[in-house]
């Protein structure tokens, strides 16, 4: 295995210096003033529907079985899709985000005993890791009087992060973990769930903090509070909890799909809502009535407080409107089989939002089994609403399903608000939206964004994967005004099990006047990197204009080769581009990995294009890099594939006369010859073959043919 060729330091510094051509600073340092111009919108409302009977999902329905009423008008069902979790094996399947189940584990630290919370933590961890489907997305949150609502972890398929979030309950944060602004990573991405389980760590990824003891200290005061609380204090605490739940429900409105709140709590004193039905209470009020002491008759004691009921109902209405069910989990009775007098409040909250209540359970996964089966099939419908006057009013919808039993349970969103502009949302809503787009992994968006990420072996260490991300200036400046162009950049490397293995982010602020026409005409090029072990990864690369909200996502699949003297691999074809075309930026100096400069062709450093421009007819120089391609004569074949998956004629790859393979990393000079290829975007598929030992490797890169 050969190392990267070590070049003169001045040569590398000269090239890297190109990235300092324009001033890229934190966007928080200076903000441009801008607005989003109103344009005609085409809105499609997605309606996930789940239908079950006798505890089992109904799987045989068709588009013709559904009717949608928007307000009082019947509308056409435009889109129809079926997502059946029985047919999906992993979290990386191409499932529409609106059809994926979202579970948010909420630990109510205000109304629960510390010991109950700790038992709930263990039960939730077991249920999430062993009972939920790999395609299910899970988030973790807490609510307490001291800290209010704390959204610990955003919705993710990464069970490592879920385990860490549940174990810590947001009370520990290892200092060595760099904060992820999207909240998808809170613990060491290098530690597997199994490793954490075997280590017995309760700190959720390191830091040496015992979350269990910290939790016990933080919640110990609740035991005495609950013993002395009078009705007024209980009502006040109920109102605080309901405000926190309503706030959470409103945030969840920005998340597509059906949400299930796994509400782990001991509930609230049932007398606040339903009155005290005890014999002593009835006798006490009866005596007051017989003796004419009407002032001593406590109607709240008899029937429950109307104020408390209104507080709860107002919150539950928010849940219904945001398509969120409450799966109420009574955690006080998990051990010892003792009854919880507050269970009626949890049942009421669940029933009013289309959820279920689980009481006195020892295995949360088993208790949730029927609910998971009932929701295992989602019919994803869509329609186009009429009269798009955004008056801010909630619009009710109804879904009728034909051909099902009368007692069928039909779950669907009760209505919608017209989508709010990104710029009008709260900060945490923006984070939730961006995090969901990253996890969804649907390439595209308002920004024309492309990336290339060739993995380079570093002997004895993780591979170095430079990521070069390009965002076109024309798309960035659409509807943009202001002196600063703020660009948010996020990158995540996700393995085949849905685990985040590396990530980066950067906020850039380009001075429009200084960057000049290069920024507007060409755009931004950013250099980040991942450090990865051998394996297959899906890279999610996201960028957003912070002022207009325009965003773009590129999805790149890479196969990181093993550090071996025999394993062969071909990296993505690389096309050197002329320096000075982009407004360039790179990672912060402390984030850059000290490795030899990887992009060398014919002894000269270059920067590769992420979306190489290729003439319809002509020749374009390129570089093919591969590992252990073997000695002997090499050949290269190129295929052009259009967006429809069809091969297009007119592409030929010619290797330079001195191109040779051998052991370790080889760089092959080559030329792409194109002849009368129609203008458009294509995938260039390149295969390099050793004619002597028949070693054959293939890789690809997107290109743009210019007419």
């Amino acid at each position: 295995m050969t190392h990267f060729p070590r070049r003169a330091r001045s040569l590398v510094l000269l090239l890297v210096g190109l990235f300092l051509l324009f001033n890229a600073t934190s966007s928080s340092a200076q903000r441009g003033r801008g607005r989003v111009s109103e344009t005609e919108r085409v809105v499609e409302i997605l309606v996930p529907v789940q239908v079950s009977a006798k505890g089992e999902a109904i799987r045989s329905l068709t588009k013709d079985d559904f009717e949608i009423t928007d307000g009082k008008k019947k509308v056409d069902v435009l889109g129809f899709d079926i997502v059946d979790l029985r047919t999906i094996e992993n979290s990386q399947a191409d499932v529409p985000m609106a059809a994926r189940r979202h579970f948010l584990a909420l630990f109510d630290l205000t109304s629960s005993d510390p010991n109950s919370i700790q038992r709930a933590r263990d039960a939730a961890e077991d249920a999430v890791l062993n009972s939920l489907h790999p395609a299910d997305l899970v988030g973790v949150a807490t609510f307490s009087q001291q800290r209010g609502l704390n959204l610990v972890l955003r919705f993710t398929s990464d069970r490592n992060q879920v385990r860490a979030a549940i174990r810590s309950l947001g009370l520990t944060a290892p200092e060595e973990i760099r904060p992820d602004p999207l909240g998808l990573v809170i613990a060491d991405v290098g530690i597997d769930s199994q490793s954490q389980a075997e280590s017995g760590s309760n700190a959720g990824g390191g830091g040496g903090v015992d979350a269990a003891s910290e939790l016990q200290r933080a919640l110990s005061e609740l035991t005495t509070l609950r013993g002395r609380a009078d009705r007024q204090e209980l009502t006040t605490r109920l109102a605080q909890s309901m405000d926190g739940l309503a706030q959470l429900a409103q945030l969840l409105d920005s998340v597509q799909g059906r949400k299930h709140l796994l509400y782990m709590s001991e509930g609230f004193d049932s007398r606040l809502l339903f009155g005290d039905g005890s014999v002593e209470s009835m006798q006490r009020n009866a005596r007051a009535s017989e003796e004419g002491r009407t002032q001593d008759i406590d109607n709240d004691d008899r029937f429950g407080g109307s104020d408390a009921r209104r507080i709860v109902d107002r919150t539950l209405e928010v849940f219904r409107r945001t398509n969120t069910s409450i799966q109420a989990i009574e955690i006080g009775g998990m051990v010892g089989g003792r009854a919880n007098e507050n269970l009626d409040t949890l049942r009421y909250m669940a029933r009013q939002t289309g959820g279920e209540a689980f009481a006195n359970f020892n295995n949360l996964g088993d208790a949730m089994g029927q609910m998971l089966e009932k929701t295992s099939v989602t019919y994803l419908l869509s329609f186009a609403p009429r009269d798009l006057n955004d008056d801010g009013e909630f619009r009710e919808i109804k879904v009728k399903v034909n051909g099902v039993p009368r007692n069928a349970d039909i779950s669907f969103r009760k209505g919608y608000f017209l989508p709010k502009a990104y710029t009008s949302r709260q900060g945490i809503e923006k984070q939730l939206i961006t995090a969901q787009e990253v996890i969804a992994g649907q390439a595209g968006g308002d920004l024309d964004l492309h990336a290339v990420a060739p993995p380079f072996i570093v002997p004895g260490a993780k591979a170095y994967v430079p990521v070069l991300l390009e965002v076109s200036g024309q798309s960035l400046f659409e509807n943009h005004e202001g002196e600063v162009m703020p660009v948010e950049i996020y990158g995540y490397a996700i393995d085949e099990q849905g685990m985040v293995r590396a990530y980066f982010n950067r906020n850039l602020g380009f001075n429009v006047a200084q960057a000049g026409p290069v920024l507007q005409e060409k755009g931004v090029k950013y250099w980040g990197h991942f450090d990865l072990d051998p394996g297959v990864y899906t890279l999610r690369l996201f960028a957003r204009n912070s002022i207009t909200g325009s965003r773009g996502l590129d999805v790149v699949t890479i196969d990181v080769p093993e550090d071996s003297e025999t394993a062969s691999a071909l990296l993505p074809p690389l096309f050197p581009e002329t320096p000075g075309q982009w407004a360039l930026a790179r990672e912060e100096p402390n984030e850059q990995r000290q490795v030899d400069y990887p992009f060398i062709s014919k002894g000269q450093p270059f920067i590769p294009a992420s979306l190489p421009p290729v003439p319809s007819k002509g020749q374009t120089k390129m570089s093919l890099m591969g590992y252990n391609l073997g000695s002997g004569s090499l050949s290269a074949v190129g295929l052009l594939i259009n967006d429809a998956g069809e091969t297009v004629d007119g592409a030929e790859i010619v290797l330079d006369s001195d191109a040779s393979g051998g052991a370790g990393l080889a760089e092959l000079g080559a030329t792409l010859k194109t002849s009368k290829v129609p203008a458009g975007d294509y995938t260039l598929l390149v295969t390099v073959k050793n004619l002597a030992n028949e070693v054959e490797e293939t890789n690809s890169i997107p290109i743009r043919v210019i007419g």
Side-chain angles (χ1 to χ4, degrees):
M1 176 62 61
T2 59
H3 295 251
F4 295 144
R6 191 169 297 278
R7 308 293 172 184
R9 189 69 174 168
S10 59
L11 182 63
V12 176
L13 290 175
L14 175 63
L15 186 65
V16 173
L18 293 172
F19 283 83
L20 303 179
L21 180 61
F22 296 105
N23 181 31
T25 61
S26 171
S27 62
S28 61
Q30 183 179 9
R31 298 183 183 274
R33 296 182 298 274
R35 62 180 177 82
V36 179
S37 62
E38 292 295 327
T39 58
E40 183 178 354
R41 291 186 296 168
V42 178
V43 176
E44 182 180 15
I45 302 298
L46 299 176
V47 185
V49 182
Q50 294 163 342
V51 187
S52 62
K54 297 182 179 179
E56 295 187 358
I58 296 177
R59 293 176 155 79
S60 57
L61 301 176
T62 67
K63 178 180 178 181
D64 294 336
D65 293 320
F66 293 89
E67 297 179 10
I68 299 178
T69 302
D70 180 18
K72 297 182 179 180
K73 299 179 180 179
K74 184 177 178 181
V75 294
D76 295 332
V77 178
L78 300 180
F80 179 81
D81 197 5
I82 305 175
V83 176
D84 188 344
L85 294 181
R86 287 185 180 178
T87 65
I88 299 172
E89 297 182 355
N90 58 63
S91 62
Q92 297 298 297
D94 187 14
V95 180
M97 185 57 67
R100 295 181 76 166
R101 298 188 301 194
H102 295 69
F103 293 93
L104 181 62
L106 175 63
F107 293 85
D108 180 6
L109 309 184
T110 297
S111 303
S112 304
D113 181 85
N115 293 325
S116 297
I117 288 291
Q118 291 183 22
R119 292 192 296 268
R121 181 182 63 184
D122 296 337
E125 179 183 329
D126 179 71
V128 167
L129 297 177
N130 299 317
S131 300
L132 298 187
H133 191 278
D136 291 333
L137 301 177
V138 183
V140 179
T142 63
F143 182 78
S144 65
Q145 285 185 315
Q146 296 78 12
R147 302 180 65 182
L149 176 65
N150 180 21
L151 195 54
V152 181
L153 182 70
R154 312 301 191 262
F155 290 107
T156 178
S157 59
D158 190 335
R159 300 303 189 252
N160 287 347
Q161 300 301 320
V162 173
R163 176 191 289 272
I166 290 176
R167 287 187 172 190
S168 72
L169 294 187
L171 296 176
T172 62
E175 294 180 357
E176 66 271 20
I177 303 301
R178 180 168 58 88
D180 171 19
L182 298 187
L184 294 172
V185 177
I186 66 167
D188 190 347
V189 294
I191 299 180
D192 291 330
S193 295
Q194 186 61 34
S195 301
Q196 290 181 0
E198 292 173 355
S199 69
S201 169
N202 284 327
V209 181
D210 185 353
S213 61
E214 185 173 343
L215 178 65
Q216 181 70 42
R217 290 194 302 270
L219 303 179
S220 59
E221 64 182 34
L222 290 177
T223 302
T224 55
L225 275 176
R226 297 172 68 213
R228 67 176 185 232
D230 57 19
R231 179 183 296 162
Q232 184 58 47
E233 183 177 356
L234 290 173
T235 302
T236 299
R237 292 173 59 194
L238 172 67
Q240 291 174 338
S241 295
M242 290 298 108
D243 285 344
L245 286 175
Q247 177 188 359
L248 177 60
Q250 290 170 344
L251 290 175
L252 292 179
D253 188 45
S254 61
V255 177
Q256 293 186 50
R258 178 74 163 166
K259 284 82 65 174
H260 302 274
L261 183 69
L262 304 181
Y263 182 48
M264 282 167 278
S265 172
E266 291 190 28
F268 310 97
D269 193 326
S270 296
R271 292 172 297 179
L272 295 175
L273 270 67
F274 309 113
D276 186 353
S278 66
V279 174
E280 293 82 0
S281 174
M282 289 188 290
Q283 290 176 342
R284 183 172 57 251
N285 282 295
R287 285 195 299 270
S289 177
E290 292 172 356
E291 297 171 4
R293 294 182 288 108
T294 56
Q295 70 277 8
D296 293 332
I297 298 176
D298 191 341
N299 286 320
D300 285 350
D301 192 35
R302 296 172 64 189
F303 306 113
S306 57
D307 289 342
R309 178 72 69 89
R310 278 195 297 268
I311 290 171
V312 172
D313 286 345
R314 186 167 58 244
T315 296
L316 299 183
E317 177 62 19
V318 179
F319 275 86
R320 287 191 292 269
R321 291 189 170 195
T322 59
N323 198 24
T324 305
S325 70
I326 296 178
Q327 309 293 342
I329 302 166
E330 192 282 301
I331 62 177
M334 286 195 298
V335 176
R338 71 174 179 83
N340 185 348
E341 297 177 354
N342 303 340
L343 182 59
D344 285 343
T345 60
L346 294 176
R347 286 174 174 162
Y348 181 76
M349 294 170 67
R351 184 172 61 250
Q352 293 297 313
T353 59
E356 299 180 27
F358 306 99
N360 301 328
F361 63 90
N362 290 307
N363 188 310
L364 179 56
D366 289 346
M368 291 171 54
Q370 188 176 80
M371 183 270 290
L372 295 175
E373 163 58 27
K374 289 169 60 177
T375 60
S376 63
V377 175
T378 298
Y379 297 92
L380 188 59
L381 316 178
S382 67
F383 71 94
R386 302 169 183 173
D387 304 325
L388 285 180
N389 295 325
D390 192 357
D391 51 13
E393 294 295 324
F394 181 75
R395 302 191 177 194
E396 293 187 357
I397 62 175
K398 295 181 180 179
V399 176
K400 179 181 178 182
V401 185
N402 301 311
V404 297
R406 282 190 174 183
N407 62 346
D409 183 10
I410 304 173
S411 173
F412 58 91
R413 64 186 300 179
K414 305 306 178 185
Y416 63 96
F417 296 94
L418 287 182
K420 292 192 295 184
Y422 175 83
T423 52
S424 66
R425 293 184 180 274
Q426 303 177 40
I428 193 169
E429 285 184 290
K430 294 178 179 179
Q431 293 173 1
L432 283 167
I433 292 171
T434 301
Q436 184 173 61
E437 290 186 283
V438 168
I439 293 299
Q442 300 295 318
D446 311 302
L447 299 182
D448 188 10
L449 182 153
H450 298 274
V452 63
F456 290 93
I457 294 174
V458 179
K462 291 186 176 184
Y464 173 65
V465 185
V467 178
L468 290 100
L469 182 151
E470 298 173 355
V471 187
S472 83
Q474 182 177 0
S475 61
L476 272 174
F477 276 91
E478 184 73 25
N479 298 323
H480 179 86
E481 293 182 1
E483 299 174 355
V484 172
M485 169 60 71
V487 182
E488 304 170 28
I489 293 176
Y490 305 91
Y492 295 83
I494 302 176
D495 68 13
E496 293 181 290
Q497 286 72 48
M499 310 297 182
V500 176
R501 293 304 184 183
Y503 67 99
F504 61 76
N505 70 276
R506 184 80 188 275
N507 286 345
L508 303 171
F510 290 93
N511 186 301
V512 174
Q514 291 180 6
V518 173
L519 177 62
Q520 299 189 44
E521 296 175 6
K522 193 65 175 180
V524 173
K525 191 183 188 87
Y526 180 77
W527 184 332
H529 88 276
F530 297 120
D531 299 320
L532 297 173
D533 290 317
V536 177
Y537 299 87
T538 300
L539 309 184
R540 311 285 173 84
L541 305 164
F542 185 92
R544 188 188 294 280
N545 179 325
S546 305
I547 290 180
T548 66
S550 298
R551 81 284 183 267
L553 177 74
D554 195 16
V555 179
V556 179
T557 300
I558 64 170
D559 190 347
V560 177
E562 297 180 358
D563 181 7
S564 167
E565 296 182 358
T566 58
S568 60
L570 182 68
L571 304 189
L574 300 177
F575 289 76
E577 65 180 4
T578 303
Q581 296 187 58
W582 298 86
L584 302 168
R586 198 175 181 181
E587 303 160 305
E588 297 284 6
N590 64 333
E591 298 173 347
Q592 298 174 20
R593 184 172 173 183
Q594 298 303 309
V595 296
D596 296 325
Y597 192 83
F599 303 118
I600 304 292
S601 178
K602 304 296 184 181
Q604 298 297 316
F606 69 93
I607 296 179
S610 300
L611 182 66
V614 174
S616 175
K617 181 178 181 181
Q619 299 184 8
T620 308
K621 296 298 293 183
M622 59 189 299
S623 175
L624 301 177
M625 295 184 178
Y627 288 94
N628 303 317
L629 299 178
S631 302
S633 300
L634 301 176
S635 68
V637 176
L639 285 178
L640 285 181
I641 302 174
N642 62 20
D643 290 341
E646 304 166 335
T647 58
V648 177
D649 295 332
E652 177 187 6
I653 293 179
V654 179
L655 295 177
D656 292 351
S657 59
D658 59 350
S660 61
L665 177 63
E667 189 274 327
L668 313 177
T671 300
L672 172 63
K673 295 183 177 181
T674 48
S675 177
K676 297 182 180 180
V677 178
D681 289 350
Y682 297 87
T683 297
L684 174 63
L685 193 69
V686 177
T687 299
V688 173
K689 183 176 182 180
N690 188 307
L691 301 180
N693 60 15
E694 296 189 350
V695 169
E696 186 176 291
E697 294 295 337
T698 300
N699 215 317
S700 64
I701 189 172
I703 67 171
R704 177 162 290 170
V705 175
I706 309 298

